[in-house]
Amino acid sequence: MKKVELPKAFVERVSKDPFLGDSLLQALNEEQPVAIRINSSKGSSVFNGLEKIPWSQNGFYLPERPVFTLDPHFHGGRYYPQEAGSQFIDSILRQLELPDEPVILDLCAAPGGKSTLIADFLQGKGLLLANEVIQGRSKILKENLTKWGAKNSLVSNNDPQDFDGLKNTFDCILIDAPCSGEGMFRKDQEARNEWSEESVNLCSARQKRIVMDVWDSLKPRGFLIYSTCTFNAQENEDNVRWILEQTDSQIHSIDLPFARPGRDGTGYYALPSELKTEGFYVVVIQKLGEERIQKNKSRKKSALTRLKREAWYNEWINDSKSELIQWNNYVFAIPEGFSELVETLHSQLRIIKLGTELGELSRKGLIPNEALVFDAGILSGKIPDIPLTQEQALHYLKGETFNLEGKPGFNTVSFEGTKLGWIKHLGNRFNNLFPKEWRIRMRID
């Protein structure tokens, strides 16, 4: 790809800003670092010898950029490629005084890097709602969270204003706000073409609207983590001051020793001129006031029903700490104690992922869903598994079939311990059940 020059107006802005300086402009034309974050629930044995990201418990740098599409571990949710600066969120979450089982909203969540980070932080406790307003992107978000394997996660496809009926619901809200993308100029050449002074103005206004649309859904004493991938004060410090003026809130102090404190000490920056990161800004705001009983808007009767464990359960599931929810003929597992909240969310929002989808009930029992194979905390060890070579794994991920010995019926397939999906073995052949929309489309030879 032909390199695009930095926008002239952006260069002038940065040069005049003593907080940033010309060293940033130079860094934005250098090679970008590559980072991943490991899924702690699936083990780290295949990632030995990597350079650690100091502010992220499970974050590492790679020596070079691989072709992630050709790595079966990536498709199995063993890790997620995530820019190192945005992994500041890991350090921040571990510093907040949250309940033992917090309810967290990731409002602008696609493609899912920060959502999978939050899921890893929760370690199966509490509940994560990951939202994305753009339908196509919400499907990618669902795919990535499904592969991560967290039954305490839901995905919704809603505009922020749709959260108006959910007062005092969340202990923490992460808003990684859509922005002018200055911090992505090294990673994404197209971001340079799309940047303009007008874009900064529009983004700043939109960010204010997004925050205020969901402010009432944050519990008093709860935390708003506000972040962008841009450098200018208008979308960062200026917006934070505006939020503080409009709400009963205060900056919550956090410790990020590797980061640069923001202008006037407001928030923190990851600057590519100082760290092995792209550009990132983050601040924590705590909502003040006492929690008071506040009625939510009347909601439609939930279409979900609670389900008791039936005969098929022990055949497929190894988990005694789930509640079962049924919608039509489909069965989902969610954490104990959250069925009422899940029903409320389902009635108010367009939920496209509901915990871990176990499968569809039929007269012969359960037809397993792909989500079950990725949730290591639920899937029964009685299910036969067929280890694949890398070549076989890639052909499986393309949706192909090949000679493979196995027991008749449903089997999981895996690569080096990473579960990849289901097949149904028919004796002399098998049906490949890897979802069509997830399949590899590039050539693998």
Side-chain angles (χ1 to χ4, degrees):
M1 181 185 291
K2 184 179 178 181
K3 196 147 190 173
V4 179
E5 293 297 319
L6 290 168
K8 184 176 179 181
F10 170 76
V11 171
E12 291 175 355
R13 266 192 180 216
V14 172
S15 297
K16 293 176 182 177
D17 187 347
F19 180 77
L20 298 173
D22 291 340
S23 60
L24 175 64
L25 299 175
Q26 180 179 341
L28 290 176
N29 286 313
E30 295 173 353
E31 195 70 26
Q32 66 180 94
V34 182
I36 62 170
R37 188 175 33 76
I38 292 169
N39 187 336
S40 65
S41 71
K42 300 191 179 186
S44 60
S45 58
V46 297
F47 301 100
N48 294 327
L50 297 179
E51 180 187 352
K52 187 85 172 58
I53 298 173
W55 51 84
S56 176
Q57 188 162 296
N58 298 304
F60 296 86
Y61 292 106
L62 299 183
E64 59 185 5
R65 176 172 291 278
V67 181
F68 290 114
T69 303
L70 299 182
D71 183 359
H73 292 301
F74 167 67
H75 294 275
R78 194 77 175 263
Y79 67 91
Y80 190 93
Q82 186 178 22
E83 193 279 310
S86 64
Q87 295 187 47
F88 278 160
I89 301 297
D90 182 72
S91 179
I92 291 170
L93 286 170
R94 297 178 194 283
Q95 295 179 51
L96 300 182
E97 294 181 3
L98 293 169
D100 290 339
E101 294 192 328
V103 179
I104 300 178
L105 169 63
D106 185 0
L107 184 64
C108 310
K114 296 176 186 66
S115 291
T116 54
L117 186 155
I118 295 168
D120 222 44
F121 163 75
L122 289 173
Q123 291 290 295
K125 297 180 179 180
L127 197 73
L128 164 65
L129 174 61
N131 179 71
E132 172 56 44
V133 65
I134 300 172
Q135 187 173 12
R137 286 170 57 83
S138 71
K139 293 178 181 178
I140 298 169
L141 174 62
K142 176 185 177 181
E143 176 186 345
N144 287 327
L145 263 178
T146 297
K147 290 177 176 178
W148 203 255
K151 74 179 179 186
N152 63 333
S153 64
L154 284 70
V155 173
S156 58
N157 172 213
N158 287 85
D159 189 276
Q161 64 186 2
D162 296 338
F163 287 79
D164 181 57
L166 295 167
K167 311 291 186 188
N168 299 338
T169 299
F170 302 103
D171 299 292
C172 180
I173 298 177
L174 168 61
I175 300 180
D176 187 39
C179 67
S180 59
E182 297 166 356
M184 295 292 105
F185 281 176
R186 180 164 61 177
K187 178 181 177 181
D188 183 3
Q189 294 288 304
E190 189 57 34
R192 300 185 178 202
N193 284 329
E194 295 174 354
W195 186 92
S196 67
E197 299 271 8
E198 181 60 22
S199 171
V200 172
N201 295 333
L202 290 172
C203 287
S204 176
R206 178 170 55 179
Q207 291 152 359
K208 292 173 183 176
R209 178 186 73 81
I210 289 172
V211 170
M212 298 313 296
D213 278 345
V214 297
W215 183 257
D216 285 347
S217 66
L218 180 64
K219 292 179 180 178
R221 314 305 300 179
F223 300 98
L224 168 67
I225 304 174
Y226 175 84
S227 66
T228 72
C229 56
T230 203
F231 303 117
N232 67 78
Q234 193 171 337
E235 297 178 69
N236 296 335
E237 292 93 341
D238 292 353
N239 266 1
V240 172
R241 279 191 287 272
W242 183 88
I243 294 168
L244 296 175
E245 291 169 358
Q246 301 298 314
T247 63
D248 184 13
S249 61
Q250 65 184 11
I251 300 288
H252 182 74
S253 178
I254 52 174
D255 184 27
L256 292 177
F258 295 94
R260 165 90 77 91
R263 300 168 181 89
D264 300 324
T266 303
Y268 287 91
Y269 281 89
L271 297 176
S273 51
E274 299 177 357
L275 298 172
K276 289 175 65 175
T277 66
E278 303 308 307
F280 189 68
Y281 173 80
V282 65
V283 66
V284 179
I285 298 172
Q286 185 172 29
K287 186 176 185 178
L288 301 178
E290 297 181 3
E291 184 158 5
R292 57 191 182 277
I293 304 241
Q294 191 170 354
K295 287 188 178 180
N296 285 317
K297 288 182 177 179
S298 59
R299 61 182 174 93
K300 299 177 293 184
K301 182 176 173 57
S302 175
L304 305 177
T305 56
R306 302 179 198 184
L307 187 68
K308 293 182 179 179
R309 291 177 174 81
E310 299 179 358
W312 55 265
Y313 188 86
N314 291 331
E315 178 185 352
W316 296 95
I317 310 300
N318 180 29
D319 175 41
S320 61
K321 296 181 179 180
S322 293
E323 292 188 37
L324 299 184
I325 297 288
Q326 184 173 349
W327 178 70
N328 294 334
N329 290 328
Y330 302 96
V331 184
F332 307 82
I334 62 170
E336 279 185 318
F338 284 95
S339 56
E340 185 174 343
L341 175 57
V342 166
E343 288 169 2
T344 298
L345 295 173
H346 189 267
S347 68
Q348 296 276 350
L349 303 171
R350 182 174 182 265
I351 300 295
I352 63 171
K353 177 188 184 295
L354 182 65
T356 293
E357 184 172 349
L358 304 182
E360 182 179 5
L361 292 177
S362 70
R363 286 179 296 177
K364 295 183 179 181
L366 187 77
I367 302 172
N369 182 271
E370 59 271 10
L372 176 56
V373 81
F374 294 109
D375 195 332
I378 289 183
L379 182 67
S380 172
K382 300 174 186 176
I383 306 296
D385 178 72
I386 304 175
L388 303 179
T389 66
Q390 185 169 12
E391 182 181 3
Q392 288 175 325
L394 291 173
H395 283 288
Y396 169 78
L397 293 167
K398 280 183 70 70
E400 299 172 356
T401 59
F402 41 87
N403 291 329
L404 190 67
E405 293 186 4
K407 296 180 180 179
F410 290 104
N411 293 251
T412 63
V413 292
S414 62
F415 172 69
E416 295 181 350
T418 299
K419 300 279 190 184
L420 299 177
W422 294 104
I423 63 167
K424 188 170 185 181
H425 213 293
L426 305 175
N428 58 349
R429 61 185 179 87
F430 70 87
N431 290 339
N432 187 326
L433 303 180
F434 194 67
K436 291 181 180 179
E437 62 271 22
W438 294 0
R439 292 176 181 176
I440 295 175
R441 290 171 174 79
M442 68 184 295
R443 293 186 58 174
I444 59 175
D445 47 62

